């Protein structure tokens, strides 16, 4: 079964006029959040999970799609009523930062009327100090950042980041975003209870 690069789904919270872009290889992420629905082992790949069930699409990619492959996929799926492209998936899209920049730039050149959004855990700043400003230069309209906790200790327990400085970099990334033209939203997990 081949994973989808460009897909769509509709729920009461998310209208059908959003096109979703998945460019995440092997469900890769810099965190291992306790609440995440992405498959954590090879044995779980292909088994139903909450997000893929909602999307009605299998999203596992064995390789990272190129900017051209993604833009061709958008060209094939775009509809006149579409208003937004969201770069999201099961994992962290900004692991592939240069690819994301190329995709945003390509969308803005061909479809300047479309809003472009990225959903991220915000850990990109540890690798690219100027990440936010480069995203702004491409024309990114909106960023949704998963903060999920109110302090570093809670973040470490809940999100289980792969790096020690994850929370500090995340807070710095959020602050940088709020100084740009990018609409910035921060989300938290509430009511989650981990069952051991």
């Amino acid at each position: 079964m081949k994973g989808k690069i460009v897909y769509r789904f509709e729920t009461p919270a998310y209208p059908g006029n959003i096109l979703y872009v998945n460019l995440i290889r092997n469900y890769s992420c810099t965190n291992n959040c306790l609440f995440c629905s992405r498959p954590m082992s090879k044995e779980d790949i292909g088994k139903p999970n909450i997000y893929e069930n909602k999307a009605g699409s299998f999203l596992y990619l064995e390789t990272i799609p190129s900017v051209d492959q993604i833009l061709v996929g958008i060209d094939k799926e775009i509809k006149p009523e579409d208003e937004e492209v969201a770069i999201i998936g099961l994992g962290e899209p900004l692991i592939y930062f240069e690819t994301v920049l190329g995709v945003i730039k390509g969308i803005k050149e061909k479809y300047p009327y479309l809003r472009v959004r990225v959903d991220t855990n915000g850990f990109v700043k540890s690798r690219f100090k100027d990440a936010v400003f480069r995203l702004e230069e491409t024309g990114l309209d909106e960023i949704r950042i998963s903060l999920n906790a109110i302090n570093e200790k809670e973040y470490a327990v809940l999100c289980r980041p792969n790096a020690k400085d994850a929370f500090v970099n995340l807070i710095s990334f959020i602050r940088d975003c709020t100084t740009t033209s990018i609409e910035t939203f921060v989300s938290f997990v509430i009511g989650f209870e981990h069952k051991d």
Side-chain angles (χ1 to χ4, degrees):
M1 187 184 303
K2 188 175 178 185
K4 284 199 164 199
I5 296 171
V6 179
Y7 63 104
R8 60 176 74 239
F9 71 98
E10 189 171 350
T11 69
Y14 297 99
N17 61 356
I18 301 172
L19 200 57
Y20 293 86
V21 171
N22 169 39
L23 49 78
I24 301 165
R25 180 181 162 275
N26 294 334
Y27 302 120
S28 300
C29 193
T30 53
N31 289 350
N32 291 299
C33 299
L34 291 174
F35 54 85
C36 186
S37 65
R38 74 186 170 93
M40 299 291 186
S41 69
K42 285 191 175 184
E43 294 78 37
D44 293 332
I45 293 170
K47 292 180 182 175
N49 66 65
I50 294 168
Y51 188 83
E52 287 174 318
N53 282 343
K54 282 184 183 176
S57 299
F58 183 57
L59 300 176
Y60 179 79
L61 301 176
E62 290 183 358
T63 58
I64 305 160
S66 69
V67 171
D68 286 341
Q69 286 175 305
I70 295 166
L71 294 174
V72 165
I74 291 169
D75 288 343
K76 287 180 182 174
E77 296 292 330
I78 198 83
K79 294 180 179 176
E81 62 270 20
D82 287 335
E83 295 179 2
E84 181 178 351
V85 174
I87 301 171
I88 186 176
L90 280 171
E92 173 51 46
L94 292 184
I95 289 173
Y96 313 104
F97 186 63
E98 299 295 340
T99 302
V100 170
L101 293 177
V103 170
I104 297 168
K105 186 177 179 206
I107 294 167
K108 287 297 186 180
E109 285 174 358
K110 189 158 187 183
Y111 305 103
Y113 61 91
L114 286 175
R115 286 181 54 80
V116 180
R117 174 182 109 214
V118 171
D119 289 22
T120 178
N121 66 17
F123 190 58
V124 67
K125 189 166 179 178
S126 66
R127 291 174 35 238
F128 300 95
K129 299 298 179 200
D130 62 346
V132 173
F133 308 103
R134 292 178 68 193
L135 287 164
E136 183 181 35
E137 283 176 0
T138 64
L140 181 65
D141 297 290
E142 181 180 323
I143 194 159
R144 296 183 184 180
I145 307 163
S146 300
L147 179 53
N148 298 324
I150 59 170
N151 59 50
E152 190 167 6
K153 184 178 178 184
E154 286 184 18
Y155 186 81
V157 170
L158 189 62
C159 297
R160 301 184 299 180
N162 296 336
K164 290 180 183 176
D165 60 348
F167 189 77
V168 172
N169 277 303
L170 171 56
I171 296 300
S172 178
F173 181 76
I174 292 168
R175 284 187 180 127
D176 286 352
C177 286
T178 63
T179 68
T180 68
S181 61
I182 303 168
E183 286 185 61
T184 303
F185 298 88
V186 177
S187 63
F188 292 85
V189 169
I190 56 170
F192 174 76
E193 292 182 26
H194 181 57
K195 295 173 177 62
D196 292 324

